[in-house]
Amino acid sequence: MAINVATVQEVESTDSVVSSRFGWLRAFRRPLTLTGVIIVAIFCVLAIIGPFIAPYDPSSVSKATLQPPSPEHWLGTTQTGQDILSQMLYGTQVSMIVGVLAAVFATVLSVVVGLAAGYLGGISDEILSLLANIFLVIPALPLTVILAAYLPKTGSFGIILVISITGWAWGARVLRAQTLSLRKRDFVEAARATGERTTSIIFRDIFPNQVAVIAASFLGTVTGAILTQASLAFLGLTNVTEWSWGTILYWAQVSSALLTGSWWWFVPAGAAIALLGTGLSLVNFGIDEFINPRLRQAGIGTRKAQRAQVRPTRLKAPRRSRREARASVSGGRTGDVILQINGLEVDYVGEGSTTKAVNDVTLTLRRGEVLGIAGESGSGKSTLAHAITRLHKPPAWISAGEMLYQRDDGTVVDILTMGDEELRRFRWEELAIVFQSAMHALNPILSIGKQIEDAITAHRPSMSASERAARVLELLDLVGIQTDRAGAYPHELSGGMRQRAMIAVGLALDPEIIVMDEPTTALDVVIQRQIVEKIIELKDRLGFSVIFITHDLSLLIEMSDTIAVMYAGRVVELADAKEFYRNPRHPYSRGLLGSFPTLSGPKRELAGIPGSPPDLRHPPSGCAFNPRCPLAFDRCTVVVPPLFALSGEAEWRQAEAACLLYEGGGTVPDRASVHETDERLIEEAR
Amino acid sequence: MRVLLRRGFFYLITAWAAISLNFLLPRIMPGDPADALIEKFHGKLTPAAVQALRVLFGQGHASLWQQYVDYWHNVFTGDFGISYAYYPTPVSDVLGQSIGWTLVLISVCTVLGFVIGTGLGMIVGWKRGSWLDSLIPITTLLSSIPYFWFAICVVLLFAIVLHWFPLSGGYAVTETIGFNWGFISSAVYYAALPALTIVVASIGGWLIGMRNMMITTLSEDYVKLAEAKGLPKRRVMFTYAARNAMLPSFSSFAMSLGFVVGGSIVTEVVFNYPGIGTVLFKAAQAQDYPLMQGIFLVITVTVLVANMLADLAYVFLDPRTREG
Ligand SMILES: Nc1ncnc2c1ncn2[C@@H]1O[C@H](COP(=O)(O)OP(=O)(O)OP(=O)(O)O)[C@@H](O)[C@H]1O
Ligand code: SF4
Ligand SMILES: [Mg+2]
């Protein structure tokens, strides 16, 4: 029962989305869960048929006293010659009935109280929650003992009542929290917004989650009830002439079975309780993993991905020597390349299927450049950002590619082949990252000053405490936070200030590169502007390079030097920001640009792109964009287009696009006609 | 600090509820415990003792309200009547002699179990996906074992077969209770097996709860960021992952503690340990209601205090609770 405390609690905070109504059935495929189900099933069967297959009357005495296990008495006999196997078989029935019935009553009680408190809210919620909390704090066993002692003659039914009265509170509390958070869940809102009927929302979206939680709490209570019954029986507080596992232990104890060394008397009953409890817990793990997807992921595809993470050198791509690598960095390109990503691939290893979230990505970042990465949700931007910093976690793993970093002194290293310690030193000192949500990216229990400081402590051990403190204040000042807020905790800051704090953390060690994954998405437009301006100002002053990821194409065009557009894990267009804005080449980029109004300049009509992004587990053959491309032709479903170099102006780099229309120096119909095609398609769709 | 005040207020309400429950139970239960007891000790009870029984269990001539007031008076003066299992010792004396044993044993074991279990859970969660995951079924089995049965097995192995530890009791009878080396070392020696039982049996629950929370916390952005910052592994694991992962353990401490206390009480019986659990067992056998109620009150109050300590620790660990 104590086992699922932490995880069931977790339900209150994660946004676990249940994909299908019978998704939970999948949980039973895990071997551990299946073992649990089998154990529980066997005990259920024994509980039903036990008394019929028992070889003896469990209470009838015989002359064969204190016999160890033998062919006549498989589990031996008691001091009075009773057959222990028969007692066990009868006992299974009583123990299981008490456990299950008590759990049923307790669960009904907790469902009623929990749902009522969650749905009614207000004063009824206050009172019911208080009641549940009181029952939770009052130690159950002594209370149960007293209650049971007052009802000595009532037998099992009294025990069932007593256990349910003391055992409902936890389930009620969890269900209340669950109900409250479910009411606010995105997917429930979404279902409502799409006009689904309330009943179908309840049955399709709310119910499965609730059922899982109720089931977990029910199984936990069964375990608890069986244990409590056994404890009470062992203390002699139940009807000791009724055979249950606990009564067997009671008689063993009062007859000093221990002193006579008759282990067979007490071992089977305890083992049965432990085994059944284990079975129930294992089933509960399955349910837990269903409720909490993060737990599930810890088990899926983990071996492979984990190994890949531990030994990043084992890549499919052939390793090159460092000199060769260096040559490819400086080879032919203009400017001072700081990061060169070649053929990077990142997979999510799932149960049975593999998602290629980053597919053959080759990118170049120069010193002082702002490289903007755009793309729809799910196009692999964050996966790429995490891979660059090697922060990807199982089930993600890098299956191919290299990431060459050129140090100030001209030496080149592949980030993917760094050992643990080398990587640790490299991180933050050279490459920092700013996450989308500062709320989640700042440790809630450390002050922001501490979180800046510990990066410094880790990398500059020789710095004195006062120097570090001074640096912290300097950084806060740099990003525009009053220096007296250094001791503030993240929850005490506004959203904008938190994001500034994040940037201050990022700048702590003067990194060469900062990767920013949607650093401003969660903020309102005014704050967003301030932050972006701050970043540009700091970049100009400190001279770092930025990889900037966002949905906001107009923002990106304004602040970036070059832009990479991602679609279905691939870079489909790469160009100078100005050139890209003036003349987007890839049909997808054109759709994107059509769908984003710019801050400066005339507002564009939101043309949008019909259709939705592909399922990366089963990407379309050929060009991944072909199902949505207004210009698609036959070859598009056959050939995966590589990046084709394009003509046109180039300050930072020559534009490239991955579209078969540019194959062999071809061109695309001009913009107006593309738009016409789009509009015609939309017309047809109507 | 408002949080602490609120919690303190909640504990006061809970204590009030528990004590009132204690008052009400014998009055709403079928049968008449007071009469049963007076019957049982026919002629042996002094009029004062009979009067005390009436106050505790009702059936006096006073109104229910008057009885309630009297009852509270008794609670505050520590007068829980006379124990029948240990007749004629007053309940408060019986409690006074046994509570210390239990308090020391359970608090030490709870802290040990929590520290070891949470520590192991932290490591297993940190190294998720490694061979350590195979510990989970074993720990599950361990945490499903009834404490008292595990105690029996431990006694069989270490006391009866191996003779490493004494079979039962709290100290060697040759020692005199007091603050002297002989007694303390003997008490520690005698407590070893019960402590082992409670610690081992309670580790599993903490371990699995912490492991699951650890895994959930490890995918939080702030842990990723800590790694990205190039912090030493130990700092990421302790200050970023574990400290956050531990918080739910504190907020659900009440239930886990109830579990451990319940288990320990029954464990004492197996070892015939001179603590509250053994006394409760004897009281239940003898239908000694005054003693049972006294025990219930003492345990409840102790558990409330323990919960308050857990709340304090929580406030210390989580700055978000400190505002206002
Ligand atoms: N843990 C995971 N397991 C399996 N697939 C995943 C996982 N995380 C992401 N993916 C898949 O990888 C793809 C890329 O996800 P990613 O988070 O990189 O997208 P994104 O471009 O950052 O989107 P957004 O703009 O919404 O942040 C998605 O299709 C997603 O389904
Ligand atoms: S390759 Fe074909 S489908 Fe893909 S973008 Fe170009 S025209 Fe469209
Ligand atoms: Mg993203």
Side-chain angles (χ1 to χ4, degrees):
Chain A
M1 209 153 76
I3 298 164
N4 21 25
V5 172
T7 41
V8 174
Q9 176 100 7
E10 170 57 21
V11 171
E12 299 165 21
S13 59
T14 50
D15 333 78
S16 58
V17 175
V18 182
S19 50
S20 94
R21 199 190 319 189
F22 297 108
W24 57 276
L25 281 177
R26 243 180 301 139
F28 288 110
R29 285 213 223 115
R30 307 260 335 259
L32 277 186
T33 317
L34 199 62
T35 315
V37 171
I38 292 172
I39 293 176
V40 174
I42 290 177
F43 274 103
C44 287
V45 170
L46 281 183
I48 295 168
I49 62 169
F52 302 107
I53 58 168
Y56 299 89
D57 177 347
S59 306
S60 75
V61 297
S62 75
K63 290 215 180 65
T65 58
L66 277 188
Q67 296 283 309
S70 65
E72 293 88 70
H73 301 282
W74 289 2
L75 294 178
T77 61
T78 70
Q79 206 173 26
T80 53
Q82 295 159 329
D83 181 53
I84 293 174
L85 176 64
S86 303
Q87 293 183 347
M88 282 294 298
L89 286 169
Y90 275 81
T92 307
Q93 188 167 55
V94 172
S95 292
M96 292 275 293
I97 287 179
V98 171
V100 171
L101 280 186
V104 167
F105 287 142
T107 307
V108 168
L109 212 61
S110 55
V111 168
V112 171
V113 174
L115 293 192
Y119 279 118
L120 295 178
I123 186 84
S124 358
D125 180 23
E126 294 274 328
I127 293 174
L128 289 175
S129 302
L130 180 69
L131 201 65
N133 283 337
I134 288 178
F135 266 92
L136 212 56
V137 171
I138 293 180
L141 192 87
L143 180 59
T144 319
V145 167
I146 292 182
L147 287 171
Y150 278 122
L151 298 164
K153 309 250 153 45
T154 47
S156 294
F157 187 70
I159 298 295
I160 291 172
L161 261 187
V162 167
I163 295 176
S164 13
I165 289 173
T166 50
W168 59 275
W170 177 255
R173 202 165 97 164
V174 172
L175 274 169
R176 170 187 168 269
Q178 173 81 352
T179 310
L180 277 181
S181 72
L182 269 175
R183 274 172 44 178
K184 287 179 290 198
R185 281 290 167 78
D186 290 347
F187 69 94
V188 177
E189 293 283 320
R192 220 175 268 145
T194 53
E196 266 186 89
R197 292 230 321 282
T198 322
T199 43
S200 79
I201 296 176
I202 290 176
F203 280 102
R204 239 210 32 226
D205 299 329
I206 299 190
F207 210 57
N209 251 344
Q210 293 281 50
V211 165
V213 173
I214 294 172
S217 130
F218 173 78
L219 295 182
T221 318
V222 172
T223 317
I226 289 176
L227 273 177
T228 311
Q229 193 273 344
S231 304
L232 291 179
F234 177 71
L235 294 176
L237 290 170
T238 61
N239 180 354
V240 291
T241 58
E242 185 180 51
W243 291 109
S244 71
W245 293 334
T247 13
I248 296 173
L249 292 170
Y250 169 80
W251 285 111
Q253 172 77 2
V254 295
S255 324
S256 309
L258 203 53
L259 294 177
T260 55
S262 359
W263 53 268
W264 58 88
W265 196 344
F266 52 80
V267 166
I273 297 174
L275 199 61
L276 177 57
T278 308
L280 289 165
S281 304
L282 290 180
V283 177
N284 248 351
F285 281 164
I287 297 178
D288 267 0
E289 294 193 345
F290 161 73
I291 300 174
N292 182 350
R294 292 181 187 180
L295 285 180
R296 193 168 53 219
Q297 286 198 340
I300 298 174
T302 317
R303 299 283 135 71
K304 193 173 167 193
Q306 206 106 36
R307 249 183 288 129
Q309 205 176 29
V310 178
R311 282 194 294 273
T313 35
R314 290 247 181 112
L315 297 170
K316 278 188 216 146
R319 293 258 56 78
R320 305 191 215 169
S321 75
R322 285 207 169 169
R323 197 173 312 141
E324 256 183 284
R326 191 173 170 186
S328 81
V329 166
S330 47
R333 308 219 185 200
T334 53
D336 192 3
V337 173
I338 185 160
L339 182 69
Q340 172 72 44
I341 301 172
N342 289 325
L344 187 71
E345 304 202 350
V346 186
D347 297 346
Y348 286 99
V349 187
E351 278 169 308
S353 71
T354 302
T355 309
K356 234 183 204 356
V358 170
N359 199 346
D360 195 16
V361 165
T362 297
L363 283 173
T364 312
L365 181 72
R366 317 265 168 80
R367 275 183 210 282
E369 175 183 355
V370 178
L371 169 64
I373 298 182
E376 280 170 307
S377 188
S379 53
K381 305 183 299 291
S382 298
T383 309
L384 176 63
H386 282 91
I388 292 175
T389 41
R390 257 179 73 186
L391 282 174
H392 59 288
K393 284 269 158 65
W397 75 299
I398 296 180
S399 54
E402 55 181 7
M403 293 188 311
L404 305 172
Y405 176 79
Q406 179 162 16
R407 296 218 161 89
D408 263 344
D409 59 11
T411 53
V412 173
V413 280
D414 185 347
I415 300 175
L416 287 179
T417 58
M418 287 182 178
D420 276 0
E421 186 53 27
E422 193 184 1
L423 181 66
R424 191 186 76 71
R425 282 175 202 283
F426 168 78
R427 284 174 167 169
W428 231 249
E429 194 73 72
E430 324 255 349
L431 180 106
I433 182 166
V434 174
F435 287 127
Q436 168 171 359
S437 163
M439 188 67 220
H440 295 126
L442 289 169
N443 186 346
I445 57 174
L446 282 187
S447 69
I448 53 166
K450 278 254 158 38
Q451 298 191 49
I452 298 175
E453 197 182 334
D454 64 5
I456 305 175
T457 318
H459 292 273
R460 313 267 158 86
S462 58
M463 232 164 141
S464 74
S466 59
E467 282 172 317
R468 285 199 306 263
R471 175 76 180 143
V472 168
L473 298 188
E474 183 190 337
L475 284 162
L476 289 179
D477 191 48
L478 204 61
V479 296
I481 297 179
Q482 290 115 309
T483 45
D484 59 348
R485 303 305 304 271
Y489 291 97
H491 72 272
E492 295 168 340
L493 302 175
S494 71
M497 274 159 93
R498 267 184 234 133
Q499 203 60 57
R500 283 163 194 269
M502 276 297 304
I503 294 169
V505 175
L507 293 174
L509 301 170
D510 268 332
E512 299 296 324
I513 304 174
I514 301 190
V515 178
M516 298 194 172
D517 186 5
E518 311 198 29
T520 58
T521 309
L523 306 172
D524 72 63
V525 187
V526 181
I527 310 284
Q528 200 170 328
R529 277 230 81 83
Q530 287 175 4
I531 304 258
V532 167
E533 273 160 18
K534 195 90 216 170
I535 294 171
I536 297 298
E537 176 202 321
L538 290 170
K539 185 211 80 165
D540 289 342
R541 199 151 101 203
L542 305 172
F544 49 81
S545 316
V546 181
I547 295 180
F548 196 95
I549 295 172
T550 179
H551 282 129
D552 188 343
L553 205 53
S554 42
L555 177 74
L556 205 60
I557 290 169
E558 272 191 32
M559 70 175 295
S560 311
D561 300 309
T562 52
I563 286 190
V565 177
M566 285 187 73
Y567 187 81
R570 287 177 187 271
V571 173
V572 293
E573 179 158 358
L574 200 58
D576 280 6
K578 280 195 209 107
E579 173 70 9
F580 177 79
Y581 178 61
R582 200 167 45 236
N583 185 11
R585 311 294 183 92
H586 195 280
Y588 174 65
S589 312
R590 295 188 170 185
L592 271 187
L593 265 184
S595 59
F596 280 93
T598 42
L599 292 179
S600 61
K603 285 225 164 191
R604 252 174 239 274
E605 190 70 5
L606 281 167
I609 307 170
S612 49
D615 178 358
L616 289 181
R617 279 168 304 178
H618 315 284
S621 61
C623 170
F625 189 52
N626 76 58
R628 301 165 75 187
C629 181
L631 300 173
F633 54 102
D634 292 350
R635 236 172 105 67
C636 299
T637 55
V638 186
V639 180
V640 179
L643 282 167
F644 295 106
L646 306 168
S647 57
E649 277 178 41
E651 185 183 341
W652 287 85
R653 68 166 54 87
Q654 192 62 48
E656 291 173 85
C659 170
L660 291 172
L661 291 169
Y662 299 101
E663 206 173 14
T667 50
V668 183
D670 67 27
R671 193 163 188 152
S673 63
V674 174
H675 268 275
E676 257 165 41
T677 329
D678 278 356
E679 271 145 32
R680 218 190 52 240
L681 276 176
I682 294 167
E683 274 305 301
E684 277 168 18
R686 284 192 193 122
Chain B
M1 293 307 102
R2 246 189 40 222
V3 187
L4 280 188
L5 278 181
R6 262 187 69 125
R7 290 305 286 171
F9 185 65
F10 165 73
Y11 289 123
L12 279 183
I13 293 187
T14 309
W16 166 80
I19 293 171
S20 302
L21 193 67
N22 224 356
F23 167 79
L24 274 179
L25 271 181
R27 289 170 174 78
I28 56 172
M29 281 296 169
D32 181 357
D35 275 355
L37 276 174
I38 293 166
E39 187 77 11
K40 201 161 146 193
F41 284 82
H42 188 71
K44 277 198 263 176
L45 293 179
T46 61
V50 172
Q51 172 57 24
L53 255 186
R54 290 287 178 214
V55 173
L56 277 169
F57 295 106
Q59 317 296 326
H61 302 292
S63 69
L64 202 60
W65 175 248
Q66 186 56 45
Q67 293 179 35
Y68 190 54
V69 173
D70 289 347
Y71 179 79
W72 270 101
H73 179 78
N74 282 4
V75 168
F76 276 116
T77 50
D79 177 6
F80 299 114
I82 290 180
S83 159
Y84 298 94
Y86 296 86
Y87 192 81
T89 321
V91 167
S92 44
D93 288 2
V94 178
L95 291 180
Q97 282 158 19
S98 52
I99 186 74
W101 294 95
T102 301
L103 221 53
V104 172
L105 179 69
I106 296 192
S107 53
V108 169
C109 292
T110 307
V111 171
L112 272 182
F114 177 81
V115 170
I116 299 176
T118 307
L120 289 177
M122 177 181 78
I123 293 167
V124 176
W126 179 257
K127 297 197 181 288
R128 68 208 173 290
S130 70
W131 64 273
L132 281 173
D133 275 358
S134 54
L135 287 182
I136 293 169
I138 302 168
T139 350
T140 314
L141 185 71
L142 259 185
S143 65
S144 309
I145 290 177
Y147 283 50
F148 63 91
W149 180 73
F150 187 53
I152 297 176
C153 297
V154 166
V155 168
L156 179 69
L157 181 63
F158 292 105
I160 295 181
V161 176
L162 296 172
H163 294 290
W164 287 357
F165 291 98
L167 194 59
S168 66
Y171 58 99
V173 278
T174 49
E175 306 290 343
T176 45
I177 297 187
F179 197 75
N180 60 71
W181 173 245
F183 168 71
I184 292 176
S185 58
S186 151
V188 168
Y189 182 50
Y190 273 73
L193 279 192
L196 178 80
T197 307
I198 299 172
V199 170
V200 171
S202 62
I203 280 179
W206 297 119
L207 192 156
I208 290 166
M210 182 64 179
R211 172 213 173 240
N212 288 355
M213 270 321 291
M214 196 71 182
I215 286 174
T216 312
T217 310
L218 280 175
S219 52
E220 293 287 349
D221 276 354
Y222 53 77
V223 177
K224 277 197 172 169
L225 190 80
E227 257 173 71
K229 284 201 281 192
L231 301 186
K233 276 218 165 71
R234 243 178 315 124
R235 179 146 176 103
V236 180
M237 179 158 93
F238 286 108
T239 316
Y240 283 76
R243 233 179 100 180
N244 281 292
M246 228 160 65
L247 294 178
S249 297
F250 280 96
S251 57
S252 63
F253 188 75
M255 200 185 92
S256 314
L257 184 68
F259 215 66
V260 178
V261 168
S264 313
I265 284 174
V266 193
T267 305
E268 283 188 2
V269 177
V270 177
F271 291 98
N272 204 4
Y273 199 73
I276 290 271
T278 309
V279 174
L280 182 65
F281 177 64
K282 294 207 172 112
Q285 299 293 310
Q287 309 246 324
D288 184 349
Y289 298 113
L291 187 51
M292 280 196 273
Q293 297 213 314
I295 291 172
F296 172 66
L297 274 195
V298 169
I299 295 180
T300 306
V301 170
T302 319
V303 165
L304 289 186
V305 170
N307 273 306
M308 280 205 273
L309 292 180
D311 281 349
L312 266 179
Y314 191 97
V315 169
F316 175 74
L317 285 174
D318 188 351
R320 281 165 296 185
T321 57
R322 277 180 234 157
E323 62 189 15

